[in-house]
Amino acid sequence: MGVSNNITAVLNIVALLCSIPIIAAGKWLDQKPDNACVHLIRWPVILLGFLILLVSLAGFVGAYRYKETLLAFYLCCMAILIALLLILLVFAFVVTRPDGSYDVPGKGYKEYRLDGYSAWLRDHVVDNKSWRKIKACLADTGVCPKLTQKFITADQFFAAHISPLQSGCCKPPTICGYTFVNPIQWTNPTNPTGDPDCYLWSNDQTQLCYNCNSCRAGLLGNLRTEWRKGNIILIVAVVLLILVYVIACSAFRNVQSEELFSRRKH
């Protein structure tokens, strides 16, 4: 096996290793309660990771055995996968750029407005048709009852940095003026007209604020935070893949030049 083929084989091992954090990022998103209810981006990430792994294996075999057709197939497929990964990254960044969060005076947590997020997320993630299934799924995750195990008093809860999902779905908006009983039980609103969500709050554990716009906004807030964390891993992986691809293309051209020179020599 020539020097160029050795280089290509090593590069494909690097590309194969790059697929692991991509798959891991998809699996990490899969474990989050909000992503468990919104099957939007985790599967494309996992699928791209597995495809990169398989294509890298094909490239390694092609370089090790010097199968020129397999190497050309590897380079073509890897270019497509890198392009798809870049499109996914740009898309996730663009749709999660707007932030619907706002500070609540005297509280450790933030609250969230639905109109603060991108129109695409509002129309494709938390539209009325999708929300019926999502809110039932959220109720089954137990994300709200877990708050009662962490916070006993009102002071503890009001100082807590709870997640956007918990802030939007597990309690009524602060403007409503509800009295704290526990993190998922609130009574006697002093300003029930302060927000349309004030009328939608329920102490029924299957309802809470799952019908509220604040809950939809909180879900998008969670997705925004998690997608952006996942994007960091994907950015590092795609930069490495591009470097590997550029060097692999150069090595492939060198192999072809060596082969052409050898043919002319004979």
mmCIF file with all atom_site columns, all heavy atoms in Angstrom, residues 93-117:
data_model
loop_
_atom_site.group_PDB
_atom_site.id
_atom_site.type_symbol
_atom_site.label_atom_id
_atom_site.label_alt_id
_atom_site.label_comp_id
_atom_site.label_asym_id
_atom_site.label_entity_id
_atom_site.label_seq_id
_atom_site.pdbx_PDB_ins_code
_atom_site.Cartn_x
_atom_site.Cartn_y
_atom_site.Cartn_z
_atom_site.occupancy
_atom_site.B_iso_or_equiv
_atom_site.pdbx_formal_charge
_atom_site.auth_seq_id
_atom_site.auth_comp_id
_atom_site.auth_asym_id
_atom_site.auth_atom_id
_atom_site.pdbx_PDB_model_num
ATOM 1   N N   . PHE A 1 93  ? -29.259 26.637 13.589 1.00 0.00 ? 93  PHE A N   1
ATOM 2   C CA  . PHE A 1 93  ? -28.833 27.931 14.115 1.00 0.00 ? 93  PHE A CA  1
ATOM 3   C C   . PHE A 1 93  ? -29.845 29.028 13.788 1.00 0.00 ? 93  PHE A C   1
ATOM 4   O O   . PHE A 1 93  ? -30.191 29.849 14.640 1.00 0.00 ? 93  PHE A O   1
ATOM 5   C CB  . PHE A 1 93  ? -27.464 28.309 13.555 1.00 0.00 ? 93  PHE A CB  1
ATOM 6   C CG  . PHE A 1 93  ? -26.983 29.663 14.007 1.00 0.00 ? 93  PHE A CG  1
ATOM 7   C CD1 . PHE A 1 93  ? -26.432 29.829 15.267 1.00 0.00 ? 93  PHE A CD1 1
ATOM 8   C CD2 . PHE A 1 93  ? -27.098 30.779 13.178 1.00 0.00 ? 93  PHE A CD2 1
ATOM 9   C CE1 . PHE A 1 93  ? -26.002 31.081 15.693 1.00 0.00 ? 93  PHE A CE1 1
ATOM 10  C CE2 . PHE A 1 93  ? -26.672 32.025 13.592 1.00 0.00 ? 93  PHE A CE2 1
ATOM 11  C CZ  . PHE A 1 93  ? -26.122 32.174 14.851 1.00 0.00 ? 93  PHE A CZ  1
ATOM 12  N N   . VAL A 1 94  ? -30.321 29.035 12.552 1.00 0.00 ? 94  VAL A N   1
ATOM 13  C CA  . VAL A 1 94  ? -31.248 30.085 12.107 1.00 0.00 ? 94  VAL A CA  1
ATOM 14  C C   . VAL A 1 94  ? -32.568 30.017 12.868 1.00 0.00 ? 94  VAL A C   1
ATOM 15  O O   . VAL A 1 94  ? -33.076 31.038 13.354 1.00 0.00 ? 94  VAL A O   1
ATOM 16  C CB  . VAL A 1 94  ? -31.486 29.996 10.589 1.00 0.00 ? 94  VAL A CB  1
ATOM 17  C CG1 . VAL A 1 94  ? -32.633 30.917 10.164 1.00 0.00 ? 94  VAL A CG1 1
ATOM 18  C CG2 . VAL A 1 94  ? -30.224 30.358 9.829  1.00 0.00 ? 94  VAL A CG2 1
ATOM 19  N N   . VAL A 1 95  ? -33.153 28.802 12.978 1.00 0.00 ? 95  VAL A N   1
ATOM 20  C CA  . VAL A 1 95  ? -34.479 28.700 13.601 1.00 0.00 ? 95  VAL A CA  1
ATOM 21  C C   . VAL A 1 95  ? -34.422 28.866 15.119 1.00 0.00 ? 95  VAL A C   1
ATOM 22  O O   . VAL A 1 95  ? -35.446 29.129 15.752 1.00 0.00 ? 95  VAL A O   1
ATOM 23  C CB  . VAL A 1 95  ? -35.185 27.373 13.239 1.00 0.00 ? 95  VAL A CB  1
ATOM 24  C CG1 . VAL A 1 95  ? -35.382 27.254 11.740 1.00 0.00 ? 95  VAL A CG1 1
ATOM 25  C CG2 . VAL A 1 95  ? -34.448 26.163 13.799 1.00 0.00 ? 95  VAL A CG2 1
ATOM 26  N N   . THR A 1 96  ? -33.226 28.700 15.726 1.00 0.00 ? 96  THR A N   1
ATOM 27  C CA  . THR A 1 96  ? -33.132 28.867 17.181 1.00 0.00 ? 96  THR A CA  1
ATOM 28  C C   . THR A 1 96  ? -32.498 30.207 17.570 1.00 0.00 ? 96  THR A C   1
ATOM 29  O O   . THR A 1 96  ? -32.242 30.442 18.746 1.00 0.00 ? 96  THR A O   1
ATOM 30  C CB  . THR A 1 96  ? -32.307 27.730 17.812 1.00 0.00 ? 96  THR A CB  1
ATOM 31  O OG1 . THR A 1 96  ? -30.977 27.725 17.261 1.00 0.00 ? 96  THR A OG1 1
ATOM 32  C CG2 . THR A 1 96  ? -32.966 26.393 17.577 1.00 0.00 ? 96  THR A CG2 1
ATOM 33  N N   . ARG A 1 97  ? -32.269 31.068 16.591 1.00 0.00 ? 97  ARG A N   1
ATOM 34  C CA  . ARG A 1 97  ? -31.634 32.349 16.910 1.00 0.00 ? 97  ARG A CA  1
ATOM 35  C C   . ARG A 1 97  ? -32.522 33.236 17.781 1.00 0.00 ? 97  ARG A C   1
ATOM 36  O O   . ARG A 1 97  ? -32.049 33.781 18.789 1.00 0.00 ? 97  ARG A O   1
ATOM 37  C CB  . ARG A 1 97  ? -31.253 33.081 15.620 1.00 0.00 ? 97  ARG A CB  1
ATOM 38  C CG  . ARG A 1 97  ? -30.460 34.349 15.879 1.00 0.00 ? 97  ARG A CG  1
ATOM 39  C CD  . ARG A 1 97  ? -30.011 35.000 14.590 1.00 0.00 ? 97  ARG A CD  1
ATOM 40  N NE  . ARG A 1 97  ? -29.226 36.200 14.851 1.00 0.00 ? 97  ARG A NE  1
ATOM 41  C CZ  . ARG A 1 97  ? -28.732 36.989 13.922 1.00 0.00 ? 97  ARG A CZ  1
ATOM 42  N NH1 . ARG A 1 97  ? -28.948 36.716 12.639 1.00 0.00 ? 97  ARG A NH1 1
ATOM 43  N NH2 . ARG A 1 97  ? -28.033 38.060 14.235 1.00 0.00 ? 97  ARG A NH2 1
ATOM 44  N N   . PRO A 1 98  ? -33.806 33.440 17.454 1.00 0.00 ? 98  PRO A N   1
ATOM 45  C CA  . PRO A 1 98  ? -34.654 34.264 18.334 1.00 0.00 ? 98  PRO A CA  1
ATOM 46  C C   . PRO A 1 98  ? -34.838 33.599 19.702 1.00 0.00 ? 98  PRO A C   1
ATOM 47  O O   . PRO A 1 98  ? -34.967 32.374 19.801 1.00 0.00 ? 98  PRO A O   1
ATOM 48  C CB  . PRO A 1 98  ? -35.991 34.328 17.577 1.00 0.00 ? 98  PRO A CB  1
ATOM 49  C CG  . PRO A 1 98  ? -35.663 33.951 16.173 1.00 0.00 ? 98  PRO A CG  1
ATOM 50  C CD  . PRO A 1 98  ? -34.538 32.980 16.260 1.00 0.00 ? 98  PRO A CD  1
ATOM 51  N N   . ASP A 1 99  ? -34.831 34.413 20.745 1.00 0.00 ? 99  ASP A N   1
ATOM 52  C CA  . ASP A 1 99  ? -34.948 33.921 22.117 1.00 0.00 ? 99  ASP A CA  1
ATOM 53  C C   . ASP A 1 99  ? -36.162 34.562 22.778 1.00 0.00 ? 99  ASP A C   1
ATOM 54  O O   . ASP A 1 99  ? -36.220 35.784 22.923 1.00 0.00 ? 99  ASP A O   1
ATOM 55  C CB  . ASP A 1 99  ? -33.675 34.256 22.886 1.00 0.00 ? 99  ASP A CB  1
ATOM 56  C CG  . ASP A 1 99  ? -33.688 33.723 24.305 1.00 0.00 ? 99  ASP A CG  1
ATOM 57  O OD1 . ASP A 1 99  ? -34.627 32.977 24.660 1.00 0.00 ? 99  ASP A OD1 1
ATOM 58  O OD2 . ASP A 1 99  ? -32.762 34.050 25.069 1.00 0.00 ? 99  ASP A OD2 1
ATOM 59  N N   . GLY A 1 100 ? -37.125 33.738 23.172 1.00 0.00 ? 100 GLY A N   1
ATOM 60  C CA  . GLY A 1 100 ? -38.355 34.263 23.760 1.00 0.00 ? 100 GLY A CA  1
ATOM 61  C C   . GLY A 1 100 ? -38.323 34.401 25.269 1.00 0.00 ? 100 GLY A C   1
ATOM 62  O O   . GLY A 1 100 ? -39.366 34.611 25.901 1.00 0.00 ? 100 GLY A O   1
ATOM 63  N N   . SER A 1 101 ? -37.145 34.305 25.882 1.00 0.00 ? 101 SER A N   1
ATOM 64  C CA  . SER A 1 101 ? -37.069 34.377 27.350 1.00 0.00 ? 101 SER A CA  1
ATOM 65  C C   . SER A 1 101 ? -37.050 35.823 27.834 1.00 0.00 ? 101 SER A C   1
ATOM 66  O O   . SER A 1 101 ? -36.641 36.736 27.113 1.00 0.00 ? 101 SER A O   1
ATOM 67  C CB  . SER A 1 101 ? -35.811 33.662 27.841 1.00 0.00 ? 101 SER A CB  1
ATOM 68  O OG  . SER A 1 101 ? -34.642 34.332 27.405 1.00 0.00 ? 101 SER A OG  1
ATOM 69  N N   . TYR A 1 102 ? -37.512 36.022 29.054 1.00 0.00 ? 102 TYR A N   1
ATOM 70  C CA  . TYR A 1 102 ? -37.405 37.338 29.694 1.00 0.00 ? 102 TYR A CA  1
ATOM 71  C C   . TYR A 1 102 ? -37.274 37.143 31.200 1.00 0.00 ? 102 TYR A C   1
ATOM 72  O O   . TYR A 1 102 ? -37.755 36.154 31.770 1.00 0.00 ? 102 TYR A O   1
ATOM 73  C CB  . TYR A 1 102 ? -38.613 38.229 29.370 1.00 0.00 ? 102 TYR A CB  1
ATOM 74  C CG  . TYR A 1 102 ? -39.952 37.703 29.834 1.00 0.00 ? 102 TYR A CG  1
ATOM 75  C CD1 . TYR A 1 102 ? -40.494 38.079 31.066 1.00 0.00 ? 102 TYR A CD1 1
ATOM 76  C CD2 . TYR A 1 102 ? -40.687 36.829 29.046 1.00 0.00 ? 102 TYR A CD2 1
ATOM 77  C CE1 . TYR A 1 102 ? -41.723 37.614 31.493 1.00 0.00 ? 102 TYR A CE1 1
ATOM 78  C CE2 . TYR A 1 102 ? -41.921 36.345 29.459 1.00 0.00 ? 102 TYR A CE2 1
ATOM 79  C CZ  . TYR A 1 102 ? -42.435 36.731 30.678 1.00 0.00 ? 102 TYR A CZ  1
ATOM 80  O OH  . TYR A 1 102 ? -43.655 36.260 31.107 1.00 0.00 ? 102 TYR A OH  1
ATOM 81  N N   . ASP A 1 103 ? -36.579 38.067 31.840 1.00 0.00 ? 103 ASP A N   1
ATOM 82  C CA  . ASP A 1 103 ? -36.342 37.976 33.282 1.00 0.00 ? 103 ASP A CA  1
ATOM 83  C C   . ASP A 1 103 ? -37.608 38.307 34.064 1.00 0.00 ? 103 ASP A C   1
ATOM 84  O O   . ASP A 1 103 ? -38.421 39.144 33.647 1.00 0.00 ? 103 ASP A O   1
ATOM 85  C CB  . ASP A 1 103 ? -35.221 38.931 33.696 1.00 0.00 ? 103 ASP A CB  1
ATOM 86  C CG  . ASP A 1 103 ? -33.866 38.507 33.132 1.00 0.00 ? 103 ASP A CG  1
ATOM 87  O OD1 . ASP A 1 103 ? -33.586 37.298 33.096 1.00 0.00 ? 103 ASP A OD1 1
ATOM 88  O OD2 . ASP A 1 103 ? -33.105 39.405 32.699 1.00 0.00 ? 103 ASP A OD2 1
ATOM 89  N N   . VAL A 1 104 ? -37.744 37.648 35.214 1.00 0.00 ? 104 VAL A N   1
ATOM 90  C CA  . VAL A 1 104 ? -38.851 37.921 36.127 1.00 0.00 ? 104 VAL A CA  1
ATOM 91  C C   . VAL A 1 104 ? -38.256 38.535 37.388 1.00 0.00 ? 104 VAL A C   1
ATOM 92  O O   . VAL A 1 104 ? -37.429 37.894 38.050 1.00 0.00 ? 104 VAL A O   1
ATOM 93  C CB  . VAL A 1 104 ? -39.623 36.638 36.479 1.00 0.00 ? 104 VAL A CB  1
ATOM 94  C CG1 . VAL A 1 104 ? -40.814 36.967 37.377 1.00 0.00 ? 104 VAL A CG1 1
ATOM 95  C CG2 . VAL A 1 104 ? -40.076 35.924 35.219 1.00 0.00 ? 104 VAL A CG2 1
ATOM 96  N N   . PRO A 1 105 ? -38.604 39.777 37.725 1.00 0.00 ? 105 PRO A N   1
ATOM 97  C CA  . PRO A 1 105 ? -38.019 40.429 38.905 1.00 0.00 ? 105 PRO A CA  1
ATOM 98  C C   . PRO A 1 105 ? -38.189 39.585 40.169 1.00 0.00 ? 105 PRO A C   1
ATOM 99  O O   . PRO A 1 105 ? -39.283 39.091 40.469 1.00 0.00 ? 105 PRO A O   1
ATOM 100 C CB  . PRO A 1 105 ? -38.808 41.743 39.015 1.00 0.00 ? 105 PRO A CB  1
ATOM 101 C CG  . PRO A 1 105 ? -39.281 42.008 37.617 1.00 0.00 ? 105 PRO A CG  1
ATOM 102 C CD  . PRO A 1 105 ? -39.559 40.657 37.028 1.00 0.00 ? 105 PRO A CD  1
ATOM 103 N N   . GLY A 1 106 ? -37.088 39.397 40.888 1.00 0.00 ? 106 GLY A N   1
ATOM 104 C CA  . GLY A 1 106 ? -37.127 38.678 42.155 1.00 0.00 ? 106 GLY A CA  1
ATOM 105 C C   . GLY A 1 106 ? -37.158 37.169 42.024 1.00 0.00 ? 106 GLY A C   1
ATOM 106 O O   . GLY A 1 106 ? -37.298 36.474 43.033 1.00 0.00 ? 106 GLY A O   1
ATOM 107 N N   . LYS A 1 107 ? -37.035 36.644 40.816 1.00 0.00 ? 107 LYS A N   1
ATOM 108 C CA  . LYS A 1 107 ? -37.089 35.192 40.608 1.00 0.00 ? 107 LYS A CA  1
ATOM 109 C C   . LYS A 1 107 ? -35.777 34.706 39.988 1.00 0.00 ? 107 LYS A C   1
ATOM 110 O O   . LYS A 1 107 ? -35.136 35.400 39.204 1.00 0.00 ? 107 LYS A O   1
ATOM 111 C CB  . LYS A 1 107 ? -38.259 34.814 39.682 1.00 0.00 ? 107 LYS A CB  1
ATOM 112 C CG  . LYS A 1 107 ? -39.626 35.297 40.167 1.00 0.00 ? 107 LYS A CG  1
ATOM 113 C CD  . LYS A 1 107 ? -40.032 34.603 41.460 1.00 0.00 ? 107 LYS A CD  1
ATOM 114 C CE  . LYS A 1 107 ? -41.477 34.913 41.840 1.00 0.00 ? 107 LYS A CE  1
ATOM 115 N NZ  . LYS A 1 107 ? -41.702 36.331 42.204 1.00 0.00 ? 107 LYS A NZ  1
ATOM 116 N N   . GLY A 1 108 ? -35.400 33.484 40.337 1.00 0.00 ? 108 GLY A N   1
ATOM 117 C CA  . GLY A 1 108 ? -34.193 32.899 39.772 1.00 0.00 ? 108 GLY A CA  1
ATOM 118 C C   . GLY A 1 108 ? -34.403 32.373 38.370 1.00 0.00 ? 108 GLY A C   1
ATOM 119 O O   . GLY A 1 108 ? -33.452 32.233 37.601 1.00 0.00 ? 108 GLY A O   1
ATOM 120 N N   . TYR A 1 109 ? -35.638 32.057 38.040 1.00 0.00 ? 109 TYR A N   1
ATOM 121 C CA  . TYR A 1 109 ? -35.943 31.505 36.722 1.00 0.00 ? 109 TYR A CA  1
ATOM 122 C C   . TYR A 1 109 ? -36.428 32.597 35.777 1.00 0.00 ? 109 TYR A C   1
ATOM 123 O O   . TYR A 1 109 ? -36.779 33.704 36.183 1.00 0.00 ? 109 TYR A O   1
ATOM 124 C CB  . TYR A 1 109 ? -37.011 30.413 36.833 1.00 0.00 ? 109 TYR A CB  1
ATOM 125 C CG  . TYR A 1 109 ? -38.232 30.802 37.636 1.00 0.00 ? 109 TYR A CG  1
ATOM 126 C CD1 . TYR A 1 109 ? -39.217 31.635 37.104 1.00 0.00 ? 109 TYR A CD1 1
ATOM 127 C CD2 . TYR A 1 109 ? -38.412 30.329 38.935 1.00 0.00 ? 109 TYR A CD2 1
ATOM 128 C CE1 . TYR A 1 109 ? -40.329 32.005 37.831 1.00 0.00 ? 109 TYR A CE1 1
ATOM 129 C CE2 . TYR A 1 109 ? -39.526 30.688 39.678 1.00 0.00 ? 109 TYR A CE2 1
ATOM 130 C CZ  . TYR A 1 109 ? -40.481 31.517 39.130 1.00 0.00 ? 109 TYR A CZ  1
ATOM 131 O OH  . TYR A 1 109 ? -41.583 31.877 39.871 1.00 0.00 ? 109 TYR A OH  1
ATOM 132 N N   . LYS A 1 110 ? -36.441 32.268 34.488 1.00 0.00 ? 110 LYS A N   1
ATOM 133 C CA  . LYS A 1 110 ? -36.999 33.142 33.470 1.00 0.00 ? 110 LYS A CA  1
ATOM 134 C C   . LYS A 1 110 ? -38.348 32.619 33.028 1.00 0.00 ? 110 LYS A C   1
ATOM 135 O O   . LYS A 1 110 ? -38.700 31.464 33.308 1.00 0.00 ? 110 LYS A O   1
ATOM 136 C CB  . LYS A 1 110 ? -36.055 33.224 32.259 1.00 0.00 ? 110 LYS A CB  1
ATOM 137 C CG  . LYS A 1 110 ? -34.726 33.899 32.545 1.00 0.00 ? 110 LYS A CG  1
ATOM 138 C CD  . LYS A 1 110 ? -33.892 34.022 31.277 1.00 0.00 ? 110 LYS A CD  1
ATOM 139 C CE  . LYS A 1 110 ? -32.606 34.779 31.551 1.00 0.00 ? 110 LYS A CE  1
ATOM 140 N NZ  . LYS A 1 110 ? -31.803 34.968 30.313 1.00 0.00 ? 110 LYS A NZ  1
ATOM 141 N N   . GLU A 1 111 ? -39.113 33.460 32.360 1.00 0.00 ? 111 GLU A N   1
ATOM 142 C CA  . GLU A 1 111 ? -40.351 33.015 31.730 1.00 0.00 ? 111 GLU A CA  1
ATOM 143 C C   . GLU A 1 111 ? -40.242 33.276 30.231 1.00 0.00 ? 111 GLU A C   1
ATOM 144 O O   . GLU A 1 111 ? -39.302 33.936 29.773 1.00 0.00 ? 111 GLU A O   1
ATOM 145 C CB  . GLU A 1 111 ? -41.557 33.709 32.367 1.00 0.00 ? 111 GLU A CB  1
ATOM 146 C CG  . GLU A 1 111 ? -41.749 33.254 33.814 1.00 0.00 ? 111 GLU A CG  1
ATOM 147 C CD  . GLU A 1 111 ? -43.025 33.767 34.464 1.00 0.00 ? 111 GLU A CD  1
ATOM 148 O OE1 . GLU A 1 111 ? -43.592 34.756 33.963 1.00 0.00 ? 111 GLU A OE1 1
ATOM 149 O OE2 . GLU A 1 111 ? -43.428 33.188 35.482 1.00 0.00 ? 111 GLU A OE2 1
ATOM 150 N N   . TYR A 1 112 ? -41.216 32.756 29.473 1.00 0.00 ? 112 TYR A N   1
ATOM 151 C CA  . TYR A 1 112 ? -41.026 32.668 28.028 1.00 0.00 ? 112 TYR A CA  1
ATOM 152 C C   . TYR A 1 112 ? -42.283 33.077 27.273 1.00 0.00 ? 112 TYR A C   1
ATOM 153 O O   . TYR A 1 112 ? -43.394 32.728 27.667 1.00 0.00 ? 112 TYR A O   1
ATOM 154 C CB  . TYR A 1 112 ? -40.614 31.233 27.657 1.00 0.00 ? 112 TYR A CB  1
ATOM 155 C CG  . TYR A 1 112 ? -39.344 30.844 28.377 1.00 0.00 ? 112 TYR A CG  1
ATOM 156 C CD1 . TYR A 1 112 ? -39.385 30.368 29.690 1.00 0.00 ? 112 TYR A CD1 1
ATOM 157 C CD2 . TYR A 1 112 ? -38.110 31.011 27.774 1.00 0.00 ? 112 TYR A CD2 1
ATOM 158 C CE1 . TYR A 1 112 ? -38.216 30.071 30.376 1.00 0.00 ? 112 TYR A CE1 1
ATOM 159 C CE2 . TYR A 1 112 ? -36.937 30.711 28.448 1.00 0.00 ? 112 TYR A CE2 1
ATOM 160 C CZ  . TYR A 1 112 ? -36.996 30.247 29.752 1.00 0.00 ? 112 TYR A CZ  1
ATOM 161 O OH  . TYR A 1 112 ? -35.843 29.954 30.429 1.00 0.00 ? 112 TYR A OH  1
ATOM 162 N N   . ARG A 1 113 ? -42.074 33.828 26.180 1.00 0.00 ? 113 ARG A N   1
ATOM 163 C CA  . ARG A 1 113 ? -43.168 34.259 25.312 1.00 0.00 ? 113 ARG A CA  1
ATOM 164 C C   . ARG A 1 113 ? -43.093 33.499 23.996 1.00 0.00 ? 113 ARG A C   1
ATOM 165 O O   . ARG A 1 113 ? -42.029 33.419 23.371 1.00 0.00 ? 113 ARG A O   1
ATOM 166 C CB  . ARG A 1 113 ? -43.075 35.762 25.027 1.00 0.00 ? 113 ARG A CB  1
ATOM 167 C CG  . ARG A 1 113 ? -43.290 36.653 26.247 1.00 0.00 ? 113 ARG A CG  1
ATOM 168 C CD  . ARG A 1 113 ? -43.372 38.113 25.806 1.00 0.00 ? 113 ARG A CD  1
ATOM 169 N NE  . ARG A 1 113 ? -43.534 39.015 26.938 1.00 0.00 ? 113 ARG A NE  1
ATOM 170 C CZ  . ARG A 1 113 ? -42.524 39.623 27.565 1.00 0.00 ? 113 ARG A CZ  1
ATOM 171 N NH1 . ARG A 1 113 ? -41.280 39.414 27.152 1.00 0.00 ? 113 ARG A NH1 1
ATOM 172 N NH2 . ARG A 1 113 ? -42.760 40.424 28.575 1.00 0.00 ? 113 ARG A NH2 1
ATOM 173 N N   . LEU A 1 114 ? -44.219 32.977 23.559 1.00 0.00 ? 114 LEU A N   1
ATOM 174 C CA  . LEU A 1 114 ? -44.251 32.184 22.339 1.00 0.00 ? 114 LEU A CA  1
ATOM 175 C C   . LEU A 1 114 ? -43.866 33.011 21.127 1.00 0.00 ? 114 LEU A C   1
ATOM 176 O O   . LEU A 1 114 ? -43.158 32.527 20.228 1.00 0.00 ? 114 LEU A O   1
ATOM 177 C CB  . LEU A 1 114 ? -45.649 31.577 22.151 1.00 0.00 ? 114 LEU A CB  1
ATOM 178 C CG  . LEU A 1 114 ? -45.824 30.585 21.004 1.00 0.00 ? 114 LEU A CG  1
ATOM 179 C CD1 . LEU A 1 114 ? -44.869 29.414 21.141 1.00 0.00 ? 114 LEU A CD1 1
ATOM 180 C CD2 . LEU A 1 114 ? -47.273 30.093 20.956 1.00 0.00 ? 114 LEU A CD2 1
ATOM 181 N N   . ASP A 1 115 ? -44.305 34.277 21.084 1.00 0.00 ? 115 ASP A N   1
ATOM 182 C CA  . ASP A 1 115 ? -44.013 35.097 19.906 1.00 0.00 ? 115 ASP A CA  1
ATOM 183 C C   . ASP A 1 115 ? -42.557 35.546 19.846 1.00 0.00 ? 115 ASP A C   1
ATOM 184 O O   . ASP A 1 115 ? -42.142 36.205 18.889 1.00 0.00 ? 115 ASP A O   1
ATOM 185 C CB  . ASP A 1 115 ? -44.949 36.307 19.836 1.00 0.00 ? 115 ASP A CB  1
ATOM 186 C CG  . ASP A 1 115 ? -44.852 37.200 21.070 1.00 0.00 ? 115 ASP A CG  1
ATOM 187 O OD1 . ASP A 1 115 ? -43.987 36.946 21.937 1.00 0.00 ? 115 ASP A OD1 1
ATOM 188 O OD2 . ASP A 1 115 ? -45.641 38.155 21.187 1.00 0.00 ? 115 ASP A OD2 1
ATOM 189 N N   . GLY A 1 116 ? -41.762 35.177 20.861 1.00 0.00 ? 116 GLY A N   1
ATOM 190 C CA  . GLY A 1 116 ? -40.349 35.513 20.845 1.00 0.00 ? 116 GLY A CA  1
ATOM 191 C C   . GLY A 1 116 ? -39.497 34.536 20.053 1.00 0.00 ? 116 GLY A C   1
ATOM 192 O O   . GLY A 1 116 ? -38.306 34.775 19.840 1.00 0.00 ? 116 GLY A O   1
ATOM 193 N N   . TYR A 1 117 ? -40.113 33.430 19.596 1.00 0.00 ? 117 TYR A N   1
ATOM 194 C CA  . TYR A 1 117 ? -39.373 32.412 18.855 1.00 0.00 ? 117 TYR A CA  1
ATOM 195 C C   . TYR A 1 117 ? -39.673 32.500 17.359 1.00 0.00 ? 117 TYR A C   1
ATOM 196 O O   . TYR A 1 117 ? -40.615 33.177 16.941 1.00 0.00 ? 117 TYR A O   1
ATOM 197 C CB  . TYR A 1 117 ? -39.703 31.024 19.408 1.00 0.00 ? 117 TYR A CB  1
ATOM 198 C CG  . TYR A 1 117 ? -39.193 30.843 20.816 1.00 0.00 ? 117 TYR A CG  1
ATOM 199 C CD1 . TYR A 1 117 ? -40.037 31.028 21.905 1.00 0.00 ? 117 TYR A CD1 1
ATOM 200 C CD2 . TYR A 1 117 ? -37.862 30.536 21.045 1.00 0.00 ? 117 TYR A CD2 1
ATOM 201 C CE1 . TYR A 1 117 ? -39.562 30.899 23.203 1.00 0.00 ? 117 TYR A CE1 1
ATOM 202 C CE2 . TYR A 1 117 ? -37.379 30.400 22.339 1.00 0.00 ? 117 TYR A CE2 1
ATOM 203 C CZ  . TYR A 1 117 ? -38.228 30.586 23.409 1.00 0.00 ? 117 TYR A CZ  1
ATOM 204 O OH  . TYR A 1 117 ? -37.745 30.467 24.697 1.00 0.00 ? 117 TYR A OH  1
#
